[in-house]
Amino acid sequence: MDFMKWLNSLDELLYEVMSWLLFFPITLWRAVFRPIGIMTEIDSEAALPEDEQYASVVSPPLFLALALLLSHTVSTALGQTDAIIASHHGLADLVNDNASALVLRVVVFAAFPLFLAARLVRRSKTKLDRGSLRQPFYEQCYPAAVFALGVSVGVSVGLDHHQTASTVGHTLAVLSIVNFWFVETRWFAKTLGVSYLRAAGDVIVGLLEGALFLFCVGYFFTR
């Protein structure tokens, strides 16, 4: 009986993993070209029974994790070694393989949707708690995944010795940052009903909070 349960679990796991090959590109396409639309759908998805949610797309936190896995794969394919894995200073000793490095990347980049979601909740004058934060955080994961993928791949390609590849990589990283800020500005303006100028300011504060967290993590893992 236990063996049959194990087989059923393996069957479900295999199907889930293989389905990512189809639904990840679909989700990525929509997150890049229809970011506001896919973020808006979070409301309707949350109203569905748990087993019916995100049937046609990858769920937001998983999408963020898969985007970072893809970017990590690209850097590995280019023969690059994660700087934290290579370092043995400070907390870097805790990160000694690709799996732990990937987990750290997920935590670092997840800070951006977290801080932006928290700011959105506070600006909407809603009490900030685990319940009120969950849905805004899910909404932020889609553009954050595109941002993380673009910046990570851009930096990896930008480290190439060929001038053309380096230029393309740096351009991709810059465009990813600008696109993230632009999408978030539109989302804040739409959700809060404020001007684009006010929304842009709120987004900059959220991005600075995420950047500060990134700096702190980098400091403690390299000292």
Side-chain angles (χ1 to χ4, degrees), residues 24-205:
F24 178 81
I26 292 174
T27 308
L28 180 60
W29 177 271
R30 295 180 62 186
V32 172
F33 295 103
R34 291 183 52 206
I36 301 301
I38 197 171
M39 293 170 76
T40 303
E41 291 176 10
I42 297 294
D43 287 336
S44 57
E45 293 288 347
L48 296 174
E50 187 173 348
D51 59 345
E52 297 180 14
Q53 294 177 359
Y54 309 108
S56 59
V57 292
V58 178
S59 66
L62 178 59
F63 180 61
L64 175 59
L66 290 177
L68 288 167
L69 174 60
L70 177 59
S71 67
H72 191 71
T73 302
V74 170
S75 64
T76 302
L78 292 174
Q80 298 171 359
T81 302
D82 194 294
I84 294 180
I85 295 179
S87 174
H88 297 285
H89 299 287
L91 296 178
D93 274 338
L94 300 176
V95 182
N96 50 23
D97 55 25
N98 285 323
S100 55
L102 178 60
V103 170
L104 179 61
R105 283 193 181 193
V106 172
V107 171
V108 168
F109 277 101
F112 287 98
L114 177 67
F115 287 120
L116 286 168
R119 182 152 191 84
L120 192 64
V121 172
R122 290 195 297 265
R123 286 282 288 110
S124 63
K125 298 180 180 179
T126 303
K127 181 182 178 181
L128 181 64
D129 55 34
R130 293 174 61 87
S132 63
L133 183 64
R134 182 184 180 88
Q135 190 161 311
F137 174 75
Y138 271 44
E139 294 166 349
Q140 298 296 327
C141 281
Y142 283 126
V146 176
F147 162 71
L149 180 61
V151 169
S152 299
V153 172
V155 169
S156 295
V157 175
L159 294 175
D160 194 277
H161 297 299
H162 294 87
Q163 182 61 39
T164 301
S166 178
T167 301
V168 170
H170 291 140
T171 301
L172 177 60
V174 172
L175 288 177
S176 298
I177 295 172
V178 173
N179 177 71
F180 187 44
W181 174 71
F182 180 67
V183 170
E184 290 296 342
T185 297
R186 291 174 58 198
W187 181 252
F188 269 66
K190 176 180 180 295
T191 304
L192 299 175
V194 297
S195 67
Y196 282 107
L197 183 61
R198 180 64 182 272
D202 285 326
V203 173
I204 288 176
V205 172

